[in-house]
Amino acid sequence: RESSVCPMRPAHFAIACGGGALFAMYAVRRLFSAKGDGAGPTAALNVPSTPSAVLENRKCVLARRPERTMRAADFGLEAESVDPSSLKAGTVLVRVQMISIDAFIRTTLDADAYHGSTALGAPLPAIGVGTVVFSASKKFKAGDQVAGMVGAQTLAVVPEAMLSHAMRLPGVPPEATLAELGLTTGLTAWVGMHAVLGPPRRGETVVVSAAAGAVGSCAAQFARNRGARVIGVAGGERKARFLRDELCLAGAIDYKRTDASIGEQLDELAPDGIDFFFDNVGGETLDEVLARIRPGGRVVICGAVSQYDAGKLNVSRVDGPSNYLKLAERSAHLAGFNVMHIISRPHKLVWALGSVLVTYWRGRLQVPKHIENGIERVPDALLAMFSGGHVGKLLVNL
């Protein structure tokens, strides 16, 4: 199905691309600049202007390591006092306003973890946005809007190297900086779809797993916008309708269907095979796609959420693809990526961010937001990510 969003005239598109690149360069300069503008809403924070008062931080911590799947009892809520006068040089105190709930959080909860292990009693890692309350840094000052790894807590003492100045661009609400324009969402999807094995071509058949989630829905829209025939994989009829009716994809596969397997649904929707697969899931879905990959096809591994909360990643044995020899038989390609390895260079970040900005401003990239309110909702939000209880981007407003 064609997208309901009207295409832009070529001349207007060129102007938008140029504007997107200029704004991207401006944003990157701010991200890497040494000074903020001090224009944050400090009055709304109701905190003293001098570091004399002790403040209370409420945080969601790891109470115990999950045994296979996560449970609510694995997490705890704690309060602690924070003395701004004790800030060490090069750190800032941030009032956290909103955090992103991402699949990588689960990968840090085991004792041995690729993304680094969360210590027992420590706040859950989370990327978020907030306002600097007090600063012992030359890079930031009170009132600056910042983004970075702030953790699941209401107040965060953060080294300046872990933060950047938050983007404030026309027509971009704060939640979009963690969703469509977020590192772990829109930018990850764009890099995986364009910068790993080359982008999908017009008319190619593209399959995206976890297509009703944050990254997957972005990836599916990027492929659709390039003229590819996109099939999304998700769980449940509600999500299948979202893929067909709201994202305007060519088809949707419901892996929860009892009357047809994933493979049977793929055969129905992609009888001639699959040219490009953007995988967020792994496991059975990856195997079924590999069995149907076309000659010269490409498989991009973004994640494997089916392995994260099943006691396999970091702990036991990940279920690998048994159909991997199809890659050799059909001269197909498989590659994984880490978004940080690609956008760590400023010119790559400008390329990615400018492209995502233009797509967003054109109305061709839209992600539903599922927003919970309050630090006490963090455990339920994280559990919902792995139970399939949401569509789009999971956020917690603190």
Side-chain angles (χ1 to χ4, degrees):
R1 296 177 54 180
E2 292 294 323
S3 170
S4 59
V5 179
C6 296
M8 184 176 286
R9 295 176 182 270
H12 295 172
F13 178 68
I15 294 171
C17 287
L22 288 173
F23 271 113
M25 287 187 285
Y26 163 76
V28 171
R29 286 190 63 184
R30 282 183 53 80
L31 293 179
F32 292 96
S33 66
K35 295 181 179 180
D37 56 15
T42 52
L45 293 176
N46 194 27
V47 296
S49 58
T50 58
S52 58
V54 174
L55 306 176
E56 182 185 68
N57 175 35
R58 299 182 67 219
K59 55 187 181 179
C60 178
V61 302
L62 179 63
R64 67 183 188 187
R65 302 212 179 274
E67 296 181 5
R68 297 183 65 86
T69 58
M70 294 181 295
R71 295 173 174 81
D74 297 333
F75 310 104
L77 296 174
E78 297 182 358
E80 65 179 0
S81 297
V82 178
D83 183 358
S85 64
S86 66
L87 288 180
K88 296 181 180 179
T91 64
V92 297
L93 180 63
V94 178
R95 175 78 70 182
V96 183
Q97 294 159 338
M98 182 173 285
I99 59 173
S100 172
I101 302 298
D102 297 300
F104 85 85
I105 297 174
R106 174 61 183 91
T107 71
T108 72
L109 305 185
D110 301 314
D112 298 310
Y114 165 72
H115 287 112
S117 180
T118 300
L120 291 174
L124 300 184
I127 294 174
V129 294
T131 302
V132 175
V133 180
F134 296 110
S135 176
S137 163
K138 295 181 180 179
K139 184 177 179 181
F140 302 101
K141 58 178 176 291
D144 282 352
Q145 297 287 295
V146 294
M149 188 65 74
V150 294
Q153 53 191 337
T154 57
L155 285 170
V157 177
V158 189
E160 61 180 26
M162 298 292 289
L163 295 172
S164 63
H165 291 100
M167 291 183 295
R168 288 185 296 169
L169 300 173
V172 180
E175 59 269 22
T177 65
L178 293 174
E180 290 92 341
L181 303 177
L183 173 65
T184 58
T185 305
L187 289 178
T188 292
W190 190 92
V191 166
M193 192 58 75
H194 294 84
V196 180
L197 291 176
R201 293 181 283 272
R202 178 173 294 275
E204 286 191 321
T205 296
V206 175
V207 174
V208 178
S209 60
V215 175
S217 63
C218 288
Q221 290 174 82
F222 288 137
R224 180 205 65 194
N225 293 343
R226 294 190 63 86
R229 181 175 177 272
V230 185
I231 299 167
V233 182
E237 178 56 29
R238 170 183 170 232
K239 293 184 177 181
R241 286 197 305 270
F242 166 73
L243 298 179
R244 291 189 299 261
D245 299 340
E246 297 189 41
L247 294 192
C248 299
L249 303 190
I253 290 173
D254 178 2
Y255 68 80
K256 292 184 177 181
R257 276 179 60 180
T258 57
D259 61 330
S261 67
I262 294 174
E264 290 169 341
Q265 293 177 73
L266 283 171
D267 289 337
E268 179 183 352
L269 292 173
D272 297 324
I274 297 159
D275 298 291
F276 192 111
F277 180 39
F278 187 101
D279 189 24
N280 295 296
V281 174
E284 178 189 0
T285 304
L286 174 58
D287 245 349
E288 294 291 354
V289 170
L290 287 176
R292 294 160 178 82
I293 199 73
R294 286 176 53 82
R298 290 96 75 207
V299 177
V300 173
I301 304 297
C302 179
V305 70
S306 69
Q307 309 297 299
Y308 295 169
D309 197 34
K312 296 176 180 179
L313 184 68
N314 303 323
V315 177
S316 61
R317 184 186 178 113
V318 168
D319 294 334
S322 60
N323 287 328
Y324 75 94
L325 286 179
K326 298 297 182 184
L327 297 167
E329 292 175 10
R330 298 169 188 176
S331 297
H333 308 274
L334 182 149
F337 74 101
N338 181 322
V339 65
M340 293 303 299
H341 295 167
I342 295 176
I343 67 167
S344 58
R345 288 169 288 181
H347 74 283
K348 294 284 189 181
L349 179 57
V350 168
W351 176 39
L353 183 56
S355 300
V356 176
L357 270 172
V358 168
T359 307
Y360 179 77
W361 281 334
R362 292 179 69 202
R364 310 260 309 166
L365 178 64
Q366 299 173 349
V367 179
K369 317 297 190 299
H370 182 117
I371 303 177
E372 298 284 351
N373 290 299
I375 189 69
E376 64 277 359
R377 298 298 299 164
V378 170
D380 287 339
L382 187 57
L383 293 174
M385 166 155 284
F386 290 91
S387 66
H390 76 290
V391 172
K393 181 67 179 179
L394 267 171
L395 300 165
V396 177
N397 183 12
L398 302 182

